[in-house]
Amino acid sequence: MIPGIGTLTQDTLWCFSQVKGTIEIGTTEADIISTVEFNHTGELLATGDKGGRVVIFQREQESKNQVHRRGEYNVYSTFQSHEPEFDYLKSLEIEEKINKIRWLPQQNAAYFLLSTNDKTVKLWKVSERDKRPEGYNLKDEEGRLRDPATITTLRVPVLRPMDLMVEATPRRVFANAHTYHINSISVNSDYETYMSADDLRINLWNFEITNQSFNIVDIKPANMEELTEVITAAEFHPHHCNTFVYSSSKGTIRLCDMRASALCDRHTKFFEEPEDPSNRSFFSEIISSISDVKFSHSGRYIMTRDYLTVKVWDLNMENRPIETYQVHDYLRSKLCSLYENDCIFDKFECVWNGSDSVIMTGSYNNFFRMFDRNTKRDVTLEASRENSKPRAILKPRKVCVGGKRRKDEISVDSLDFSKKILHTAWHPSENIIAVAATNNLYIFQDKVN
């Protein structure tokens, strides 16, 4: 087990640490956070929003006089990653919204990350500069070219210290390869390639080559009227560079091996849970659609999130999941109104903690859920400004269905469906979590630290 990552027992108390973002009254659509991702060390935390911006937070070093207090995350760099575009051939507006961010492992002093909107993936380099060259021969100090006739001596340029500048520069732009909206990007464990997935196709890219990609999955039927499912998420195996999974709107997961054939139209393994006929309803197909799929850090398990549940699958067992966790089963009676207000199509994500022992996913009313795989305990917590005092302990929340309501419970009828936690992230080696609630980013940590 990773040091600092315990199990989610009754003793684990989560504390409020920070909240980033404006109070919701002045929220614009562009400020809504659309993805959250820690880098491989957990020192950096990136968010993308609907306005096409990427904000990177860096963890401050621990201060000597406050040994017990771990460093807070402060803004390190903000840049505009994507702009709104217009496809004149199809008369389609392409949103600037950032769908996903994925970090590359750090190889040198600079950081690299991929960001994508619906159509275009970009590779960004984020680097620091604290020195500037002075003493050019052909330019003056303002940068203007000097008259060669006035240059009588040669100078040796020198580097002078300056205020630290963090620069974000786009190093590669991977465009024009997707007809449909990109829903996933995943960096391969060889760190030379990555894949991007849309509704019907998955493409494999080399980081050095922007003008071509390999199509590795294509589920588009010859006749689009025969279309029965779409790809909803895809991810590479954390250790085997030839293996990846993708999930579908029919609630199935396919594991593919790129060594078998160039086009992975035949899967190696097919994970599907037989439907219980007693639970069949008009909404069955919609709520069985998988919105997120994630390999465990060990590579042994896959976690999937559908509308009502989180499931854990063992790679060696295809016919049913080994664990199923009810996220908000009390919404079963509300599916009709959730369908009418389109909430039933919300795409919730799910994450593992660093030791794969606890999983976290979001719900409505700014609630998020944690499930301990060892003790089978679970807890519902809330991201709200009401209890956002430093080190304030989060009280577990309970939702009651019908009957008498206890003092500390909230009725299922008074849940706010406009407040939803779709995107969360867990520090790779510590109990620090980041939760995106509309335009606010909440950071919580366990009390032990």
Side-chain angles (χ1 to χ4, degrees):
M1 191 174 281
I2 295 176
I5 290 261
T7 55
L8 183 78
T9 60
Q10 302 295 57
D11 317 323
T12 307
L13 294 173
W14 288 90
C15 297
F16 171 82
S17 176
Q18 294 168 268
V19 59
K20 306 282 184 186
T22 53
I23 292 171
E24 288 169 15
I25 300 161
T27 307
T28 63
E29 182 80 2
D31 295 330
I32 294 173
I33 297 170
S34 52
T35 183
V36 188
E37 192 78 10
F38 279 102
N39 75 338
H40 292 256
T41 60
E43 293 307 300
L44 298 181
L45 172 63
T47 64
D49 65 24
K50 287 192 173 182
R53 292 179 299 262
V54 171
V55 181
I56 300 174
F57 300 93
Q58 184 182 43
R59 196 175 181 187
E60 297 296 317
Q61 297 301 313
E62 286 182 23
S63 56
K64 297 253 185 338
N65 50 3
Q66 289 179 304
V67 183
H68 297 297
R69 191 167 175 190
R70 291 184 297 182
E72 292 197 331
Y73 285 87
N74 290 319
V75 175
Y76 177 64
S77 175
T78 304
F79 57 93
Q80 188 72 30
S81 173
H82 288 70
E83 301 279 357
E85 295 170 56
F86 194 78
D87 184 338
Y88 290 97
L89 285 174
K90 296 189 182 136
S91 294
L92 271 180
E93 212 169 319
I94 301 166
E95 286 184 353
E96 65 272 40
K97 174 191 162 201
I98 308 293
N99 292 342
K100 287 281 185 285
I101 289 172
R102 289 289 178 263
W103 290 92
L104 276 70
Q106 195 178 356
Q107 308 285 355
N108 51 31
Y111 302 100
F112 287 88
L113 61 87
L114 287 172
S115 64
T116 185
N117 68 348
D118 284 342
K119 298 289 179 190
T120 306
V121 184
K122 294 184 181 181
L123 174 68
W124 289 89
K125 177 186 181 183
V126 181
S127 53
E128 296 182 357
R129 207 163 55 137
D130 60 357
K131 292 185 177 63
R132 66 165 181 266
E134 285 181 7
Y136 289 105
N137 288 294
L138 301 177
K139 294 178 186 171
D140 63 16
E141 297 309 323
E142 302 297 314
R144 292 185 294 262
L145 285 172
R146 289 165 61 188
D147 178 5
T150 64
I151 301 172
T152 54
T153 57
L154 285 176
R155 297 185 289 177
V156 178
V158 290
L159 288 171
R160 297 240 184 270
M162 58 176 257
D163 289 341
L164 178 70
M165 261 181 67
V166 180
E167 297 174 313
T169 46
R171 297 308 301 271
R172 305 267 189 282
V173 177
F174 305 90
N176 307 320
H178 285 278
T179 312
Y180 308 97
H181 293 344
I182 298 172
N183 56 45
S184 305
I185 46 175
S186 179
V187 179
N188 201 347
S189 58
D190 61 10
Y191 305 132
E192 291 177 12
T193 55
Y194 77 91
M195 70 177 170
S196 55
D198 68 23
D199 293 344
L200 297 180
R201 297 192 179 101
I202 300 176
N203 293 331
L204 181 70
W205 300 83
N206 186 299
F207 278 111
E208 301 301 322
I209 302 165
T210 58
N211 60 356
Q212 65 176 16
S213 62
F214 287 102
N215 180 224
I216 51 174
V217 171
D218 187 347
I219 65 165
K220 185 181 179 187
N223 178 3
M224 282 295 270
E225 286 177 8
E226 293 166 9
L227 183 68
T228 58
E229 61 182 334
V230 294
I231 297 167
T232 54
E235 191 178 58
F236 269 119
H237 191 283
H239 314 303
H240 305 312
C241 60
N242 53 286
T243 310
F244 67 93
V245 291
Y246 69 91
S247 58
S248 86
S249 56
K250 272 191 163 175
T252 61
I253 308 112
R254 290 170 174 85
L255 180 84
C256 301
D257 188 338
M258 292 191 290
R259 295 173 302 187
S261 65
L263 185 66
C264 299
D265 47 2
R266 284 204 186 88
H267 45 264
T268 310
K269 292 193 174 184
F270 182 76
F271 301 86
E272 183 179 29
E273 185 172 27
E275 193 190 10
D276 179 359
S278 63
N279 281 341
R280 179 107 190 117
S281 75
F282 170 75
F283 304 108
S284 294
E285 266 183 41
I286 303 172
I287 63 173
S288 66
S289 175
I290 292 172
S291 54
D292 197 16
V293 60
K294 292 263 172 49
F295 270 106
S296 62
H297 297 86
S298 67
R300 169 78 189 267
Y301 304 102
I302 316 168
M303 167 169 59
T304 59
R305 171 73 210 258
D306 56 41
Y307 191 66
L308 293 176
T309 66
V310 173
K311 293 172 181 166
V312 176
W313 303 77
D314 188 317
L315 282 192
N316 301 323
M317 191 166 93
E318 299 168 57
N319 59 343
R320 59 189 168 86
I322 55 166
E323 296 157 31
T324 300
Y325 301 99
Q326 300 295 335
V327 178
H328 36 217
D329 203 44
Y330 46 77
L331 294 183
R332 270 190 201 278
S333 59
K334 298 256 173 261
L335 291 177
C336 204
S337 54
L338 289 163
Y339 178 75
E340 282 164 11
N341 65 14
D342 279 352
C343 283
I344 202 166
F345 302 107
D346 284 334
K347 291 178 168 40
F348 291 96
E349 294 171 8
C350 51
V351 288
W352 302 88
N353 72 342
S355 61
D356 299 334
S357 60
V358 183
I359 54 190
M360 172 172 64
T361 191
S363 180
Y364 293 104
N365 210 68
N366 279 359
F367 288 171
F368 57 99
R369 303 269 284 135
M370 288 183 183
F371 303 95
D372 188 313
R373 298 180 57 214
N374 300 323
T375 63
K376 301 299 178 218
R377 288 202 175 113
D378 64 275
V379 66
T380 302
L381 300 170
E382 183 182 7
S384 79
R385 285 184 176 266
E386 272 75 85
N387 53 1
S388 57
K389 295 182 187 69
R391 311 293 292 163
I393 292 170
L394 300 189
K395 291 191 181 74
R397 302 302 306 263
K398 284 202 165 53
V399 178
C400 78
V401 187
K404 278 190 177 172
R405 184 166 67 87
R406 289 207 190 104
K407 181 168 67 76
D408 55 346
E409 290 183 337
I410 180 167
S411 162
V412 69
D413 297 316
S414 52
L415 293 175
D416 186 344
F417 292 110
S418 66
K419 293 179 174 176
K420 52 192 90 166
I421 305 282
L422 301 175
H423 316 286
T424 58
W426 201 308
H427 188 289
S429 57
E430 293 179 44
N431 274 336
I432 301 176
I433 54 173
V435 172
T438 323
N439 61 320
N440 290 309
L441 180 71
Y442 289 86
I443 297 172
F444 303 108
Q445 57 190 44
D446 65 351
K447 183 116 171 46
V448 182
N449 295 294

